[in-house]
Amino acid sequence: MSRNAARPLSPHLSIWRWGPHMLVSILHRATGTANAIGGGVLFIWWLVAAASGPAAYDTFYRAATSWFGYLVAIGLTWTFFQHMFSGVRHFVLDTGAGYELKTNRTWATATIIGSLAVTLLIWGAVYARSMH
Amino acid sequence: MGTGTGIGRVRGLGSARHGGLHWWHQRLTAAGNLILVLWFVISLFRLPLHDFPTILQWMSSPFVAVGLVLMTVSVFWHLKIGLQVFIEDYVHDDALRVAALMALNFYAVGGGALAIFSILKIALLGVKG
């Protein structure tokens, strides 16, 4: 694309003061990529293992229930809910609402608090159940 | 096609043609994911165990099998569009970008096919334990 190098470009990340809306925008891409590759590959592995038989499923099951497996599962729980809450926020922004500075900041922050809270709730409940 | 400036090139290629199709599919599959993946997460949470017999038993239900197939279509379609935007924004080398987009399409279609075939095999034929 032909571009006159003398004309100014719009300022990028480095020039703005950081705010939650910028963090959430970056997190939306990062968590989406993590879900797409991490979540996608594990979902395929899980299904193919189940369709292949008990031996293949056992290999998956042992990996999934190792400490590293739980770490990945907790991580994917957070990336899913962060992407989901941020996605719901995008649906609202699509209608043209929620761009006022204060409102925008509030709901950007809410997606982070929401995703952390739901992740904590789910895995807290899983842990509590395992204690019985 | 305009005068060769950036604006001249994109003029006329907006939503009146098919420029808006990805945007719409992104939202459509996002809504699908919202319903289906939430159902999936809650279902996994509610299952008492996740061992081989429990999972097979669970997937033999038509509602579960169809739900999983629909979720696979929605999720892999959504990730195909989403990662495409990611690649187009950050991979600047032409050859590398084309290779990355091709790999992405293979992953989305191949992965989705593997998942759907596995779900159907379990639901329709069962798996010998």
Side-chain angles (χ1 to χ4, degrees), chain A residues 1-2 29 33 36-37 40-41 43-44 46-48 50-51 53-54 57 61 80-81 84 91 94 122 125-126 129, chain B residues 4 6 23 27 34 37 45 50-52 55 59 71-72 79 85-86 89-90 107 111 115 118 121-122 127-129:
Chain A
M1 191 175 289
S2 63
R29 288 199 163 192
T33 307
I37 298 172
V41 167
F43 180 67
I44 296 164
W46 175 61
L47 287 172
V48 170
Y57 195 82
Y61 192 79
F80 167 67
F81 279 104
M84 190 199 85
F91 272 137
D94 282 346
I122 288 178
V126 170
R129 200 163 55 179
Chain B
W23 189 92
R27 267 65 182 177
L34 184 63
V37 183
F45 182 78
H50 301 89
D51 59 350
F52 190 64
I55 291 296
M59 279 189 209
M71 185 182 90
T72 305
L79 74 82
V85 174
F86 192 87
D89 280 356
Y90 301 124
Y107 168 59
S118 299
K121 188 190 170 207
I122 294 166
V127 182
K128 285 200 174 69

Side-chain angles (χ1 to χ4, degrees), chain A:
Chain A
M1 191 175 289
S2 63
R3 176 182 283 142
N4 184 348
R7 292 174 73 179
L9 290 168
S10 64
H12 198 49
L13 279 178
S14 53
I15 206 164
W16 302 103
R17 189 162 57 90
W18 273 80
H21 53 298
M22 294 163 78
L23 178 65
V24 166
S25 172
I26 291 167
L27 280 179
H28 194 68
R29 288 199 163 192
T31 55
T33 307
N35 293 337
I37 298 172
V41 167
L42 289 176
F43 180 67
I44 296 164
W45 182 16
W46 175 61
L47 287 172
V48 170
S52 300
Y57 195 82
D58 190 54
T59 307
F60 171 85
Y61 192 79
R62 267 183 296 139
T65 52
S66 68
W67 69 267
F68 188 70
Y70 277 110
L71 195 70
V72 171
I74 293 167
L76 280 173
T77 308
W78 173 71
T79 57
F80 167 67
F81 279 104
Q82 178 58 40
H83 196 78
M84 190 199 85
F85 284 132
S86 179
V88 170
R89 175 171 171 265
H90 270 287
F91 272 137
V92 177
L93 294 173
D94 282 346
T95 69
Y99 284 93
E100 299 82 3
L101 288 181
K102 217 179 149 203
T103 315
N104 198 278
R105 174 181 288 262
T106 303
W107 287 105
T109 311
T111 66
I112 298 176
I113 294 172
S115 68
L116 289 174
V118 172
T119 306
L120 211 68
L121 263 171
I122 288 178
W123 287 99
V126 170
Y127 181 74
R129 200 163 55 179
S130 74
M131 291 289 104
H132 285 296

Side-chain angles (χ1 to χ4, degrees), chain B residues 31-52:
Chain B
N33 290 352
L34 184 63
I35 299 163
L36 292 163
V37 183
L38 266 183
W39 160 76
F40 178 64
V41 170
I42 292 168
S43 299
L44 282 187
F45 182 78
R46 284 168 54 95
L47 279 177
L49 293 165
H50 301 89
D51 59 350
F52 190 64

